[in-house]
Amino acid sequence: MSRLDGPVAFRARGFAARDIPAASVATLVGLVLLWQAAASLGWMSTTFLSDPAAIGRGLWQLARSGELWANLSVSLQRLAIGWTVGTMAGLAVGLAIGLFTVARSPGMAVVAALFPIPKIALVPLFIIWFGIGEGSKLVTLGFGVFFPTIINTVAGIDGVPRALIRMGQAFNLPWRSIVLKIVLPGALPSILAGFRITTSTAIILLVAAEMIGAEKGIGAFVLQAGNLYDIDNLLAGLVVLSLLGLAVSWGLGRLERALLAWR
Amino acid sequence: MTASAIRLTARGIGHAYRDLVVLEGIDLDAAPGEVTVLVGPSGCGKSTLLGILGGLLAPTQGEVRLDGELAPDCLNSVTTVFQDASLLPWRSVAKNVSLVLEDSPLPRAERAARVAEVLAQTGLADFAGAWPRQLSGGMRQRLGIARALAVRPAVLLMDEPLSALDAQSRALLLDDFAALIAGAGVTCVYVTHHLAEAVRLGHTIVVLSRRPGRIRAVLRIDRPIEGRHAEEPALVAMQARLWALIRDDAARAEREIADV
Amino acid sequence: MQIGRRAALALPASAVLAGRPRRAGAGETVRLGLLHTLSPAPFYLAQEHGLWTGEGIGVEFRFFEAALPIAAAAVAGDIDVGVTALTGGFFSLAGKGALQVIGGGLHEQKGVELTAFLVSRQAHAAGLTDISKMPGHSFGLTQYGSSFHYMMGWLAQARGFDIRSVTLRPLQTTGNMAAAVRSGQVDASMAIASVARPLIASGEVKRLGWVGDEVPYQITALFTTRAMIAGRADALRRFCRGYQAGVAEYREAFFHPGSVGGRATESAIAAIEKYVFTSDPDAAAKIREGVGWYDEGAALDTADVRAQLAWFTAQNMVKGPIDAAAIIDTAFLPTR
């Protein structure tokens, strides 16, 4: 037997990762500053990787000449339409799979078969089917958004506690009310989490969609800059895509806070 | 408030999950305006029976019937209150109540009045705008019963509404529930494994046996619910009788692995 | 301690190698980046007929799918010389100081039918019957800054309209370009003779002209890296001599009035067949139809290189100013 004599040490440390919003901003700013410092102090060559100041100047010139907006507005329109159509279709199919036995197994089989297909590889086919105009670009975006939306919608519906649906049935609520007031709000957190994935997917696919036949668009602009080895503009275009992603992410965060205040 | 004139009768109810017979030959009469309590060892099929009575489970045998004159203000003849209250976390307290009125033909003002009334009855008037996550366990159960009372049910089925609460909250809420049920004059079937609740609330106490659940005994307490105290000698004696009926089954059930 | 012994043996050997003045260039291997098409045919001849071996060097072919990666590979040090179209991307990379144009390649030449200007049947029926009517129509090309972009730009200049009045449709590949003009998804595009002729013959597209007749220019050029010029100039010289010999054989086989169709032609086709149209029964005909012009001695048209650079700069596709003299080195091959 050993004698004990002393305080009980605190042992429940860790396993409690917290968000520090200021740290995320500071990290991004810090990385940019480090990059700039490395370039300014000559630690790295700027021949094939421009420094932030050069990219900023490039962006400023693009903005002033109106070229930025000319490209961005076209891309934003494509993103908005492609994402909305893909999301609506995905929600409808996801809802059907989540609610109806008839749709469930066949639907999930098709989703499992088609989801892993790289949408970029389908671009040539989409061009034959939908032309080199807006059609093939919107379909590329919509298709990329469609499947993750289905999967998140189904997961959300499956995650709605059965007890809540039974409660609705116990009060004899009509089917429509159970879907609209219990199933959909219950699935909303998962659907909104899916939006984070699908908006990023759409931005990634934008470049693929604008590879063929696009005169304007941020994706086309980035590709063009790459073809011309215009490194300032290439990076400026990527910065715009990144900022677009950040803006969408911020917007979704606000939307989540507004819609999911009850959590 | 006039007492419900609806009688709930179950005849020859049997229920099986595949080969496992849970209920067998249950005949039950819930008299209008009275409280019928179902007690029994865990796994005796109390909750299954309540689900069948509420139309939430299809029995493999038998039939449940309602008879009597339905009050004109009743929106949902048979209404169940669940053990976990089953609140919608994305709706405020008031909206959780109004949920069950929104599909009714009631005018908007009438709906608001009913919501206010049941919240006042259950002591939740000050929390109308709160989210369910902000409520204590006791308040969540009050909200559950408030929502049920809002549809003016003819038959109220309650599935262990107090079992998730700590002993102190349970004691406080039991008296409130007794008053609410008596005040509403509703035909009530109440499932519990707490014998103190059974003797405090029941006019009729039905004791179920262990699986397959059959009716082992039916006891009567011919006294109004108001004015009863769980500690009074007559009710304590009744509790002892119930315990004697259940004890062996409960001991056996306790040594069993699976519950249904 | 096998490794240790090997290292011990290797050390004096390498010391000897480093100490001895290298016998200029001989025995070295030069890595050449090129497209797997008919256009670098003289290089195939030089390889197959041992013209580089005769110069005492080995040449290793590195094939690429597109022009720009060849220039990028040279910058990255994966190849020593390359032959490619002078695109906007090429000039941008060269302008950063890594690449030097040293010799000529394929030319669009008057009378040599190399690249056809094609319009879709629908567009032709709707009145697009002449290149000067292009304003308001769409033109399919691979990418912005490609040689097709440049050719369209010069056609516009020659016919006196603004290229900005033409809707440019980047389609990434020449295959897509042909498909798009066939199906009418673009009004006009370009294709090399071997692709264009069957389409024209079947009536699927209409030809409005040959680029060589309209705006002759130097399509491809030979380039190398500054490091190669600085460190291995002799090997480079040997490489260029072998290349010139290849060009001489090529011209004799396909453009010399006295010898075309003779033994030289047959031997050249046999060599080229090993690289393109392999196992195609019509290979010989396709090669004869598809060959383009190479200047005598692989001469570099420096004036044309300057003109191209000026055009890309004026179009704002190359961020200037880039001094043409700084990216051209005429010490290795003649000029036109």
Side-chain angles (χ1 to χ4, degrees), chain A residues 96-146:
Chain A
I97 291 175
L99 292 177
F100 305 114
T101 307
V102 197
R104 192 171 187 95
S105 296
M108 283 317 276
V110 173
V111 169
L114 295 184
F115 184 36
I117 291 179
K119 312 305 174 268
I120 293 170
L122 287 176
V123 170
L125 280 182
F126 287 161
I127 285 158
I128 306 283
W129 298 341
F130 305 105
I132 58 170
E134 289 304 295
S136 59
K137 297 171 186 62
L138 297 179
V139 169
T140 305
L141 293 176
F143 210 61
V145 165
F146 180 59

Side-chain angles (χ1 to χ4, degrees), chain A:
Chain A
M1 274 219 269
S2 63
R3 227 180 83 82
L4 284 182
D5 179 17
V8 176
F10 178 63
R11 59 181 77 174
R13 241 176 280 280
F15 300 103
R18 283 175 303 128
D19 270 331
I20 306 173
S24 46
V25 177
T27 305
L28 292 183
V29 171
L31 283 174
V32 170
L33 288 179
L34 190 68
W35 179 3
Q36 181 64 55
S40 302
L41 298 174
W43 298 344
M44 54 170 258
S45 154
T46 52
T47 313
F48 296 111
L49 180 58
S50 316
D51 56 308
I55 297 169
R57 275 196 300 278
L59 267 178
W60 171 240
Q61 256 162 33
L62 288 174
R64 232 182 21 185
S65 68
E67 202 182 340
L68 179 66
W69 180 242
N71 286 300
L72 193 58
S73 60
V74 173
S75 287
L76 285 177
Q77 195 181 331
R78 284 179 188 139
L79 280 174
I81 297 174
W83 184 84
T84 307
V85 170
T87 297
M88 288 301 154
L91 283 176
V93 173
L95 204 59
I97 291 175
L99 292 177
F100 305 114
T101 307
V102 197
R104 192 171 187 95
S105 296
M108 283 317 276
V110 173
V111 169
L114 295 184
F115 184 36
I117 291 179
K119 312 305 174 268
I120 293 170
L122 287 176
V123 170
L125 280 182
F126 287 161
I127 285 158
I128 306 283
W129 298 341
F130 305 105
I132 58 170
E134 289 304 295
S136 59
K137 297 171 186 62
L138 297 179
V139 169
T140 305
L141 293 176
F143 210 61
V145 165
F146 180 59
F147 291 105
T149 306
I150 293 179
I151 287 172
N152 279 289
T153 307
V154 173
I157 291 174
D158 288 353
V160 176
R162 289 294 307 168
L164 295 184
I165 293 168
R166 258 169 71 99
M167 181 275 293
Q169 292 171 328
F171 282 96
N172 233 347
L173 299 187
W175 182 85
R176 201 178 55 91
S177 284
I178 293 181
V179 171
L180 289 180
K181 295 172 184 173
I182 299 178
V183 174
L184 278 183
L188 193 60
S190 171
I191 291 173
L192 286 179
F195 284 3
R196 286 194 178 274
I197 297 170
T198 57
T199 48
S200 305
T201 307
I203 292 172
I204 292 168
L205 282 177
L206 186 67
V207 178
E210 291 181 351
M211 205 160 78
I212 304 277
E215 243 197 319
K216 287 261 173 279
I218 288 292
F221 177 81
V222 166
L223 286 169
Q224 181 187 339
N227 289 332
L228 296 172
Y229 264 93
D230 184 345
I231 293 165
D232 288 354
N233 273 347
L234 172 66
L235 292 173
L238 294 182
V239 166
V240 171
L241 286 175
S242 171
L243 290 176
L244 189 61
L246 282 174
V248 169
S249 169
W250 178 82
L252 280 176
R254 296 295 300 243
L255 191 69
E256 279 181 350
R257 238 174 299 159
L259 289 179
L260 306 180
W262 49 271
R263 289 208 290 195

Side-chain angles (χ1 to χ4, degrees), chain B residues 139-257:
Chain B
M139 286 160 95
R140 294 171 64 86
Q141 288 303 340
R142 285 174 205 272
L143 180 53
I145 199 166
R147 184 174 59 189
L149 293 177
V151 297
R152 304 268 199 273
V155 177
L156 184 63
L157 307 178
M158 304 183 81
D159 188 6
E160 309 206 37
L162 302 179
S163 68
L165 304 180
D166 63 87
Q168 291 163 9
S169 310
R170 196 159 60 220
L172 290 169
L173 229 62
L174 183 55
D175 287 336
D176 291 350
F177 273 26
L180 284 168
I181 294 167
V186 67
T187 306
C188 179
V189 180
Y190 189 106
V191 168
T192 183
H193 60 266
H194 270 273
L195 302 182
E197 285 175 37
V199 298
R200 172 73 179 82
L201 291 174
H203 295 100
T204 300
I205 299 171
V206 177
V207 181
L208 294 179
S209 68
R210 209 174 138 261
R211 201 157 46 217
R214 293 200 190 88
I215 292 179
R216 162 167 294 209
V218 178
L219 280 66
R220 284 287 300 174
I221 304 177
D222 283 316
R223 278 178 53 195
I225 296 170
E226 293 101 323
R228 289 190 200 174
H229 291 286
E231 305 82 27
E232 62 191 81
L235 294 184
V236 171
M238 179 70 89
Q239 257 191 80
R241 270 180 71 192
L242 287 171
W243 180 233
L245 284 165
I246 294 169
R247 192 193 157 90
D248 287 352
D249 275 351
R252 235 170 290 143
E254 207 264 327
R255 283 191 295 272
E256 211 164 73
I257 295 168

Side-chain angles (χ1 to χ4, degrees), chain C residues 264-286:
Chain C
T265 312
E266 266 171 46
S267 140
I269 286 174
I272 295 168
E273 251 183 316
K274 291 185 180 163
Y275 295 93
V276 286
F277 307 123
T278 337
S279 72
D280 182 335
D282 297 330
K286 285 185 179 171

Side-chain angles (χ1 to χ4, degrees), chain B residues 20-170:
Chain B
L20 185 70
V21 181
V22 183
L23 292 170
E24 208 170 59
I26 302 282
D27 292 324
L28 193 78
D29 271 271
E34 284 195 0
V35 179
T36 305
V37 178
L38 300 178
V39 294
S42 61
C44 72
K46 305 185 289 282
S47 291
T48 304
L49 179 55
L50 201 76
I52 290 169
L53 296 180
L56 296 171
L57 260 176
T60 38
Q61 278 175 351
E63 190 188 34
V64 181
R65 296 185 55 82
L66 297 174
D67 294 292
E69 200 66 38
L70 194 64
D73 60 350
C74 172
L75 296 174
N76 186 39
S77 52
V78 186
T79 300
T80 307
V81 171
F82 296 93
Q83 185 174 350
D84 65 347
S86 291
L87 305 176
L88 299 185
W90 50 86
R91 280 178 169 244
S92 68
V93 166
K95 291 268 189 177
N96 258 285
V97 177
S98 72
L99 169 80
V100 299
L101 303 177
E102 285 161 12
D103 291 298
S104 75
L106 287 183
R108 189 176 281 273
E110 171 83 4
R111 259 186 252 167
R114 278 209 193 184
V115 172
E117 182 194 330
V118 294
L119 289 184
Q121 275 175 12
T122 51
L124 291 169
D126 292 342
F127 305 98
W131 295 115
R133 68 172 154 82
Q134 298 171 301
L135 303 182
S136 70
M139 286 160 95
R140 294 171 64 86
Q141 288 303 340
R142 285 174 205 272
L143 180 53
I145 199 166
R147 184 174 59 189
L149 293 177
V151 297
R152 304 268 199 273
V155 177
L156 184 63
L157 307 178
M158 304 183 81
D159 188 6
E160 309 206 37
L162 302 179
S163 68
L165 304 180
D166 63 87
Q168 291 163 9
S169 310
R170 196 159 60 220

